[in-house]
Amino acid sequence: MPLTKIIAIANQKGGVGKTTTAINLSSALSILEQKVLLVDTDPQANATSGLGVLSKNIDHSIVELFQGNLEIDQCVINTQNPNLKIIPGSIKLAEIEIDVKTPNLNRLKTALDTLKNKFDFIIIDCSPSLGYLTLNSFVASDSILIPVQCEFYALDGLRKLLSTIKSIKKSYNKNLSVEGILMTMYDERLNHNNHVISELKKHFKDLIFKTIIKRNTSLSEAPSFGTSVFDYKVNSEGSTNYLNLSHEIMKNQALNKETSLGKNISQIMKETEETILLDPCIKDRNLDNFKVFSQKDKNFDKLYGCTKKEVAVHLGLAFNDIHSDVWMYRIRHKTNLFRKNYLYLYFYKNKVNLVKLRWFKLS
Ligand SMILES: Nc1ncnc2c1ncn2[C@@H]1O[C@H](COP(=O)(O)OP(=O)(O)OP(=O)(O)O)[C@@H](O)[C@H]1O
Ligand SMILES: [Mg+2]
């Protein structure tokens, strides 16, 4: 089994949250120390611009790959986040979609295969169609994540999509699975949203992600600043939702990875990234001292041995999932202009057993 998991985000229905999910899921996974590649196969190239990559500043996009003019690693470019790279999309993809000279549904798969094991996750943002580019993405992927907007016509087109997935599975990619159906733009105040959710649960049961993405203005505003929601408003509900989704996906992936062979990806990352490890001082742990903890101070070592409840009382839950064993806090710092600081807390049996401070340099 390969270490890299390739997930296509697809629904031929337009405007259901595919690109928002592609950008923020990729960013959330990368914040959680996963190496991520985002591939933009949509001629609208919204994932590309949403991450602040401007077409005038790039030499190559995925178009050259489909034209057979370039190797895939020449199309990979860096983003502001060291764990997240992107293969940009371009309006020129529209020509390929309409006017493909020699159709080859394995084109993207063959290319992405050469990048396997360089990334933990490859996320593909698909266009709202079931055309040549989307089918290429399905052949290249291990699974498909289907965002569905919580509205009356949510079920429309879902059966068509699932039957397309079935045919690809039969003829081209026997290992293809559905990662899950993701409810997006949920508004609990609207009765019909709740009705749609219960209908979908009735039809698709375990295929529905536990995480639901709520309607949140930070999610719609962030792309105009060329950033993910984490750089735009880290304390928003949108951040919480997408971190929870990434936890859910990583949990599924961890179950699959147990059978994997080869070098552990997280170990490779430890060797290559700037990490500051703080010494544990469990003996000195004293909850009275702990009360004066502040994210401005650097007395993070007081967190060793604390329970999730204690950490939540003193630092707030912020956007962390109480069920997760990795929590993250953004730390504001004077050098913020040049660096982004994150505090990671790792829990084992409900107690903090590792505290890491990581400084991501802005490129
Ligand atoms: N959870 C959310 N809360 C608020 N606005 C959202 C949310 N998710 C997406 N949006 C907004 O809804 C619109 C459509 O979202 P998005 O572009 O992600 O959909 P899409 O499925 O990729 O669309 P397309 O089919 O055109 O590629 C965008 O303006 C986006 O900012
Ligand atoms: Mg889109």
Side-chain angles (χ1 to χ4, degrees):
M1 172 157 315
L3 284 171
T4 309
K5 174 106 188 224
I6 305 183
I7 304 175
I9 301 187
N11 188 338
Q12 74 276 28
K13 211 163 188 300
V16 294
K18 293 182 287 294
T19 302
T20 306
T21 300
I23 292 174
N24 294 300
L25 173 62
S26 304
S27 303
L29 287 167
S30 66
I31 285 169
L32 293 173
E33 303 189 49
Q34 304 296 297
K35 291 266 186 219
V36 185
L37 173 68
L38 174 58
V39 182
D40 189 353
T41 65
D42 186 353
Q44 300 177 95
N46 291 337
T48 306
S49 57
L51 272 181
V53 177
L54 302 176
S55 52
K56 65 177 168 69
N57 296 339
I58 51 177
D59 296 329
H60 308 302
S61 71
I62 195 160
V63 173
E64 282 84 0
L65 179 88
F66 274 101
Q67 289 169 335
N69 298 339
L70 276 184
E71 294 302 319
I72 193 162
D73 38 5
Q74 294 173 278
C75 306
V76 176
I77 62 170
N78 294 329
T79 70
Q80 290 195 344
N81 181 333
N83 283 341
L84 176 61
K85 310 219 184 275
I86 182 168
I87 299 185
S90 156
I91 181 73
K92 290 183 201 144
L93 278 168
E95 291 163 31
I96 292 175
E97 182 81 85
I98 297 163
D99 195 21
V100 56
K101 302 247 166 14
T102 43
N104 173 3
L105 285 190
N106 281 299
R107 185 76 198 86
L108 188 59
K109 179 187 167 44
T110 313
L112 290 183
D113 275 350
T114 65
L115 293 182
K116 280 202 161 168
N117 301 334
K118 287 192 183 158
F119 296 94
D120 293 293
F121 287 93
I122 298 179
I123 306 290
I124 308 176
D125 185 28
C126 296
S127 68
S129 83
L130 287 175
Y132 176 63
L133 297 167
T134 302
L135 296 183
N136 246 280
S137 304
F138 287 5
V139 174
S141 296
D142 297 307
S143 66
I144 298 175
L145 186 158
I146 308 169
V148 166
Q149 195 177 339
C150 296
E151 48 152 45
F152 275 125
Y153 303 107
L155 280 167
D156 277 13
L158 213 49
R159 288 188 200 292
K160 162 96 180 125
L161 177 58
L162 291 171
S163 88
T164 305
I165 294 171
K166 225 164 144 187
S167 342
I168 292 283
K169 194 172 160 71
K170 202 165 151 202
S171 312
Y172 293 93
N173 182 359
K174 67 176 169 26
N175 296 322
L176 185 63
S177 65
V178 175
E179 187 71 32
I181 295 175
L182 177 69
M183 313 285 197
T184 62
M185 298 184 232
Y186 171 67
D187 187 338
E188 59 213 333
R189 293 164 303 180
L190 301 176
N191 267 343
H192 78 266
N193 273 211
N194 295 314
H195 176 72
V196 169
I197 291 194
S198 60
E199 278 299 296
L200 281 167
K201 281 189 174 155
K202 222 189 287 167
H203 281 87
F204 297 106
K205 297 193 178 79
D206 294 344
L207 274 187
I208 314 279
F209 279 107
K210 289 191 190 74
T211 306
I212 293 178
I213 309 296
K214 292 194 181 166
R215 188 171 280 283
N216 179 261
T217 44
S218 301
L219 287 170
S220 53
E221 289 167 356
S224 54
F225 293 89
T227 65
S228 71
V229 72
F230 302 100
D231 286 324
Y232 178 61
K233 276 204 186 132
V234 75
N235 288 326
S236 65
E237 198 156 32
S239 299
T240 311
N241 290 168
Y242 277 105
L243 269 172
N244 286 346
L245 177 67
S246 62
H247 281 306
E248 203 177 331
I249 288 175
M250 281 170 69
K251 222 184 240 174
N252 295 343
Q253 176 66 349
L255 294 175
N256 294 339
K257 268 190 180 175
E258 274 170 14
T259 52
S260 305
L261 297 170
K263 197 169 182 185
N264 182 317
I265 292 279
S266 55
Q267 206 177 334
I268 297 169
M269 286 176 52
K270 265 186 211 139
E271 288 162 12
T272 54
E273 285 192 3
E274 183 185 3
T275 300
I276 300 170
L277 279 174
L278 301 168
D279 292 330
C281 59
I282 294 164
K283 272 190 223 144
D284 294 339
R285 184 177 159 247
N286 174 335
L287 273 187
D288 291 333
N289 288 342
F290 182 68
K291 277 182 190 145
V292 299
F293 178 90
S294 146
Q295 287 191 40
K296 283 189 201 119
D297 303 337
K298 289 211 173 155
N299 52 351
F300 305 120
D301 49 356
K302 289 195 177 121
L303 293 168
Y304 275 98
C306 287
T307 62
K308 285 183 181 175
K309 195 169 165 199
E310 287 167 345
V311 174
V313 165
H314 293 283
L315 291 186
L317 193 57
F319 42 84
N320 295 298
D321 176 359
I322 195 93
H323 303 296
S324 162
D325 286 331
V326 185
W327 288 16
M328 191 201 83
Y329 293 88
R330 174 91 175 266
I331 299 176
R332 306 218 176 269
H333 195 268
K334 274 188 191 144
T335 57
N336 215 9
L337 253 185
F338 307 103
R339 293 177 156 201
K340 290 181 190 172
N341 299 343
Y342 291 93
L343 173 71
Y344 286 80
L345 304 181
Y346 295 80
F347 291 90
Y348 179 68
K349 295 194 173 161
N350 195 39
K351 295 230 166 122
V352 176
N353 80 331
L354 182 62
V355 177
K356 273 198 216 174
L357 189 64
R358 301 188 53 193
W359 295 358
F360 288 148
K361 282 181 196 157
L362 285 180
S363 52

